[in-house]
Amino acid sequence: MEKVVNSTKGTSVPLLAKNLRYERKFIFSSPHLEDLAQQLYVNSFCFKEIFEKRRVNNVYFDDQNLNYYKQNVSGVGTREKYRIRWYGDDFPQVANPAIEIKKKFGEVGDKITHKLPALALDLKAVDAFQLPGLIADQLD
């Protein structure tokens, strides 16, 4: 397995080359959604469906000072965010989730995923402050 090492602030961070994702942002000047859709269909990036239609559910975590949110909004180039993700049409019903750590290094991103197949819960019945502990119990 190939490794890529990114040096940030004097520390080396190993990245799995197969997980790297490149993010590009473009300014589109037309106010018409149809024009944007047309550009996406004829662009050279060759977008295509790779998964069947499904509903993706996420809950993102932050600290009490909203530092992850603030890093994102202010454009901090090197940052992390944490989320729990699962698939299903009924958002409160969490089944077969995964905890994901998304890492960003400028235009390059990486994602570490830990599947939690034994975790099943109803978000309506769980206090938001209990959720990190329930996830941590599954990781031990």
Side-chain angles (χ1 to χ4, degrees), residues 115-132:
K115 295 184 186 241
L116 305 171
L119 182 64
L121 55 93
D122 181 350
L123 290 179
K124 292 179 186 174
V126 176
D127 182 283
F129 294 106
Q130 294 174 314
L131 193 53

Side-chain angles (χ1 to χ4, degrees), residues 10-70:
T11 62
S12 292
V13 180
L15 301 174
L16 294 176
K18 68 176 185 137
N19 290 335
L20 297 182
R21 299 157 188 251
Y22 295 87
E23 180 178 303
R24 303 283 193 261
K25 295 181 180 174
F26 299 93
I27 296 173
F28 188 74
S29 58
S30 175
H32 304 289
L33 185 57
E34 298 84 15
D35 293 340
L36 175 61
Q38 179 66 24
Q39 282 296 114
L40 289 174
Y41 285 119
V42 299
N43 73 62
S44 62
F45 297 113
C46 302
F47 290 118
K48 62 182 179 179
E49 295 280 341
I50 58 174
F51 295 105
E52 71 282 355
K53 296 268 185 213
R54 59 194 178 161
R55 183 165 181 182
V56 181
N57 302 293
N58 298 293
V59 173
Y60 286 86
F61 298 94
D62 208 333
D63 62 18
Q64 290 179 334
N65 295 318
L66 302 176
N67 283 315
Y68 299 127
Y69 167 76
K70 291 174 185 174

